[in-house]
Amino acid sequence: MESLNEKVVWITGASSGIGEAAAMAFSNHGAKVILSSRRADQLKQVASRCKGDSYVLPLDLSDNSNFSDIVKEAIEAFGQVDVLLNNGGISQRSEAAETPIEVDRKVMEVNYFGNISLTKALLPHFQERQQGRIVVISSLSGKFGFFLRSAYAASKFALVGFYESLRLEEEKNNIRVHLVYPGFIKTNISKNAIDANGNTHGEMDNNQNKGISAQECATRLIRGIQKDKKDIFIGGKEMMSLKIQRFFPNLFHSIIKKQSAT
Ligand SMILES: NC(=O)c1ccc[n+]([C@@H]2O[C@H](COP(=O)([O-])OP(=O)(O)OC[C@H]3O[C@@H](n4cnc5c(N)ncnc54)[C@H](OP(=O)(O)O)[C@@H]3O)[C@@H](O)[C@H]2O)c1
């Protein structure tokens, strides 16, 4: 198992939920953490609770115009970046038929284009050092579509296609890509999800409410990285759906269509 002591881990979406828990967990392993998302005040609070060194670096994934400067600042913070945890994102709660294309674009902009833009901006640093890990939070929704999540699922599938390709291309440069598929994790993701009008959904889904904690998710995420797993699956019994989908697709469809959308 690779030690994370003194490694520099850059986490997007570090102001809450999985990203916040990951910041604490990496910090407890002795890593130096760089914390990014839009809300600087929230990030400072997370930083104050981290055990070791931390650096707050606000960014908006829907605006990549300053990413080269942001990457420069991230590298200068501790002299290098060893791990990029691409975690920041938003979900959606609206039927495709009622969702204007602007909302689809917004979800893609944050979850996909923002995510890959940051990776592309940091990649030369990893290539130069001939090392680095890129950890990407997809979702069960990156494996199958579900009610009210057409744009969200599309963005999470898109990440899988991009990063599976990047994984192959960058192996020669000793750069590792880990794709993470969380199931139901108890965070504010459903409250922060956007509806057909682009407003926040504001409700805690039953599924998320019954999910595993963000802390447990972070612990399992780190274990997966240390074991060098290419694909990391984290959740409760909902993860069984992947096996059913793979081996019994018709049964899968008949089960999934009866599930509550929230
Ligand atoms: N919870 C689950 O059940 C679950 C399941 C599968 C996958 N996931 C994925 O896990 C990741 C983390 O979500 P979470 O569950 O921890 O939900 P969360 O608590 O809502 O966290 C989302 C994070 O993303 C950041 N973010 C949102 N829009 C952003 C933007 N435009 N620019 C920069 N940062 C932005 C938020 O920070 P600011 O508001 O400060 O910008 C926040 O830190 C997401 O990619 C989500 O799709 C979650």
Side-chain angles (χ1 to χ4, degrees):
M1 279 217 197
E2 188 182 275
S3 167
L4 288 164
N5 198 32
E6 297 291 308
K7 291 275 190 276
V8 180
V9 182
W10 184 6
I11 303 166
T12 68
S15 60
S16 70
I18 297 170
E20 176 182 2
M24 302 294 167
F26 275 110
S27 183
N28 287 340
H29 277 265
K32 300 172 183 179
V33 289
I34 302 172
L35 309 175
S36 290
S37 80
R38 290 165 300 177
R39 291 172 298 160
D41 287 352
Q42 205 62 32
L43 292 172
K44 282 180 197 153
Q45 279 192 30
V46 176
S48 70
R49 285 183 280 117
C50 283
K51 232 177 167 182
D53 290 343
S54 60
Y55 187 87
V56 168
L57 182 50
L59 62 80
D60 185 343
L61 286 167
S62 65
D63 175 14
N64 68 3
S65 60
N66 57 352
F67 278 11
S68 56
D69 288 342
I70 285 186
V71 162
K72 201 163 164 262
E73 190 175 339
I75 295 167
E76 282 170 4
F78 297 113
Q80 68 199 54
V81 174
D82 297 292
V83 180
L84 172 63
L85 171 51
N86 272 312
N87 163 76
I90 48 168
S91 194
Q92 169 213 11
R93 293 295 181 272
S94 58
E95 289 199 354
E98 68 183 20
T99 303
I101 199 73
E102 290 72 24
V103 170
D104 293 77
R105 282 192 199 282
K106 180 168 180 185
V107 173
M108 286 300 284
E109 205 58 63
V110 175
N111 290 4
Y112 179 68
F113 288 110
N115 181 316
I116 69 160
S117 297
L118 201 61
T119 292
K120 285 186 180 218
L122 184 64
L123 202 53
H125 175 65
F126 282 178
Q127 287 174 327
E128 203 176 298
R129 298 182 71 223
Q130 289 288 291
Q131 65 178 66
R133 288 181 190 272
I134 303 168
V135 186
V136 186
I137 307 292
S138 179
S139 170
L140 271 191
S141 296
K143 289 287 186 184
F144 55 83
F146 195 49
F147 298 109
L148 310 184
R149 287 161 180 77
S150 51
Y152 180 68
S155 71
K156 294 297 186 179
F157 268 74
L159 289 175
V160 175
F162 179 90
Y163 283 104
E164 284 187 347
S165 304
L166 190 75
R167 175 189 283 157
L168 291 169
E169 291 171 1
E170 293 304 323
E171 200 171 287
K172 63 179 178 297
N173 291 319
N174 197 28
I175 297 167
R176 303 271 206 283
V177 173
H178 306 268
L179 271 158
V180 186
Y181 300 90
F184 302 141
I185 317 297
K186 193 170 178 179
T187 69
N188 285 335
I189 188 83
S190 63
K191 288 189 183 171
N192 296 331
I194 55 173
D195 63 18
N197 300 315
N199 299 322
T200 46
H201 176 62
E203 285 173 33
M204 175 59 105
D205 279 3
N206 204 21
N207 285 334
Q208 258 69 43
N209 204 23
K210 289 189 301 198
I212 65 167
S213 69
Q215 289 72 21
E216 186 180 344
C217 177
T219 302
R220 288 165 65 176
L221 170 72
I222 289 179
R223 205 182 301 142
I225 296 168
Q226 287 185 313
K227 287 185 175 168
D228 211 16
K229 292 204 164 169
K230 290 183 177 59
D231 297 310
I232 304 172
F233 298 90
I234 305 172
K237 61 180 187 320
E238 71 276 11
M239 305 313 278
M240 276 297 292
S241 56
L242 291 173
K243 288 207 170 71
I244 302 172
Q245 179 199 28
R246 184 163 173 203
F247 296 111
F248 309 102
N250 289 333
L251 174 66
F252 172 78
H253 181 73
S254 65
I255 294 173
I256 204 80
K257 74 180 184 186
K258 290 183 198 136
Q259 302 304 305
S260 155
T262 55

